[in-house]
Amino acid sequence: MHTDNISAADRLVLADVGVFGGPQEQNELLTAGDLERSGRFMEKMNPQDEARFERMLADAKTPQERAYLVKALAAGYDVNQVGQFQDKIHGKDPHWLQQHLSPVVTAGDSKVAEGLNADGSNKNTDYQWFGDEKWSQEGNTCVPSSTVTARAMVDPVYALELTGGPSGQENDPDAFRDRLHDEQLRLHEEGDGDYTHWWSDTPDGMDSDGQSEIADAEISPHTGSEYEYQQVRGADERRDVLPDIEKSVAEGRPVPIEVEGYDKDGRHGHQMMVIGQEGDMLQIYNPWGQTTWVSEDDFVNGRMDKASDSRMPDAYAVHLPADR
């Protein structure tokens, strides 16, 4: 953050703050993109707003509270909106903040190879919970569901609306599930998703245009990057796109990926999100409510069933941030 009133030491502390519940180095609360965007927004503030925001940071009770305020600013909220957000989270302990503001926590042993289940999926899979409810889809809503969680990862104000309700103070998993369900259906409609029959209200997938539309509407305003759809049906195409995926997730911009497979029952398709990268490994959020790691070689060579199941081994498309 580029302001004389926030020291270099403060910036380092903010950059190193981790989400509660996992190793700091695998759960950095602020990405490089967050720090860059919040710094740019602060530079554009008038002196009164800048002073008010700095008071918010000074009043924060924990490093995590400070970092979530910076993340809210990076997500595009103005000082008044960040102030309203602070009123709801002020003084909360790090565990409460994680539960309400960070949908995904990466466990320290999450990359340990533990073999495969009978369906081809990784045994080492972490479920992502709010209380006893998972951040998971209902019905055939993988696209809106992965988009909801991806937005909640980059936009803590939105995450709190889902977990904490209008007051921001609720701690009711059942109410969270109801709000999550409603939001999944809202995005399904927003993306002109399909239904099982013309008279039905049961979701049944979404085409690539709808996928890009809801990613641009829901995620892009909070990361500064619109998405471009790109097919990657061959190993060479997947290999070529890896540097763009790596750069995007390093900057805190989730990358939607489409996977598919064919069996005696026909085609099966699914959307997931690349949300992290370390070395030659990619962290995948599956809207079944879980995260796991696959190798970049798995992504290239048709072994994405490790992140889903044996029905859908092949990545065939990605949605890449346009200004990567």
Side-chain angles (χ1 to χ4, degrees):
M1 298 175 65
H2 309 293
T3 170
D4 293 339
N5 293 314
I6 298 178
S7 70
D10 286 337
R11 293 197 294 273
L12 287 172
V13 169
L14 283 169
D16 287 340
V17 173
V19 174
F20 179 88
Q24 178 274 331
E25 64 274 11
Q26 291 182 297
N27 291 277
E28 291 179 348
L29 206 159
L30 294 170
T31 67
D34 291 331
L35 291 168
E36 190 274 333
R37 280 170 57 80
S38 60
R40 281 195 285 111
F41 290 149
M42 282 201 74
E43 288 176 344
K44 295 177 181 177
M45 288 181 185
N46 62 47
Q48 293 77 18
D49 284 347
E50 185 174 353
R52 182 182 174 193
F53 184 67
E54 288 167 354
R55 285 195 299 274
M56 293 182 202
L57 297 182
D59 290 343
K61 298 300 184 183
T62 62
Q64 285 82 5
E65 183 180 331
R66 294 186 80 203
Y68 281 115
L69 296 175
V70 173
K71 197 171 187 75
L73 184 69
Y77 293 97
D78 64 32
V79 172
N80 288 332
Q81 292 168 317
V82 176
Q84 293 166 3
F85 175 63
Q86 184 193 35
D87 290 342
K88 295 177 179 180
I89 70 168
H90 185 58
K92 303 297 187 184
D93 65 68
H95 178 252
W96 189 99
L97 293 171
Q98 178 274 309
Q99 277 281 284
H100 287 79
L101 307 180
S102 291
V104 171
V105 176
T106 301
D109 62 355
S110 62
K111 291 197 291 183
V112 175
E114 298 179 354
L116 302 178
N117 295 306
D119 65 0
S121 63
N122 282 341
K123 288 185 176 179
N124 192 353
T125 296
D126 295 318
Y127 290 101
Q128 305 299 333
W129 300 92
F130 177 72
D132 59 2
E133 284 287 346
K134 289 186 290 187
W135 285 83
S136 60
Q137 70 186 78
E138 292 184 43
N140 293 329
T141 61
C142 60
V143 175
S145 299
S146 59
T147 304
V148 167
T149 301
R151 177 176 170 186
M153 290 181 67
V154 302
D155 179 355
V157 176
Y158 177 72
L160 186 60
E161 291 172 356
L162 292 171
T163 58
S167 70
Q169 306 304 302
E170 293 183 30
N171 196 33
D172 181 348
D174 291 337
F176 159 72
R177 168 53 62 185
D178 289 342
R179 287 188 289 267
L180 189 64
H181 170 78
D182 290 346
E183 193 68 353
Q184 290 166 358
L185 292 184
R186 181 183 72 81
L187 266 64
H188 188 76
E189 284 288 314
E190 186 177 296
D192 195 23
D194 297 325
Y195 292 89
T196 52
H197 303 286
W198 66 265
W199 64 85
S200 170
D201 59 359
T202 303
D204 191 30
M206 185 180 295
D207 64 21
S208 60
D209 288 342
Q211 294 164 14
S212 294
E213 182 177 341
I214 64 171
D216 284 342
E218 299 297 326
I219 306 173
S220 297
H222 308 288
T223 63
S225 302
E226 292 189 350
Y227 283 85
E228 292 180 348
Y229 177 79
Q230 182 173 334
Q231 291 198 15
V232 289
R233 292 193 176 274
D236 289 342
E237 293 168 301
R238 296 174 195 140
R239 190 176 293 109
D240 289 345
V241 84
L242 275 171
D244 292 330
I245 293 175
E246 293 172 352
K247 182 176 185 293
S248 295
V249 296
E251 294 173 349
R253 297 178 290 183
V255 176
I257 59 171
E258 313 297 327
V259 296
E260 67 178 0
Y262 295 83
D263 61 18
K264 61 181 176 60
D265 297 318
R267 179 185 181 274
H268 304 277
H270 192 46
Q271 184 183 91
M272 302 186 287
M273 289 273 174
V274 184
I275 59 171
Q277 185 267 337
E278 289 185 14
D280 66 347
M281 302 291 287
L282 301 174
Q283 187 180 25
I284 309 297
Y285 166 76
N286 185 327
W288 297 343
Q290 61 203 48
T291 56
T292 195
W293 293 82
V294 301
S295 71
E296 293 184 339
D297 191 65
D298 292 331
F299 172 79
V300 168
N301 291 301
R303 296 190 293 270
M304 291 301 292
D305 46 348
K306 292 183 177 182
S308 55
D309 62 34
S310 57
R311 295 172 299 165
M312 297 166 288
D314 297 318
Y316 72 89
V318 298
H319 299 258
L320 288 169
D323 61 346
R324 58 190 181 278

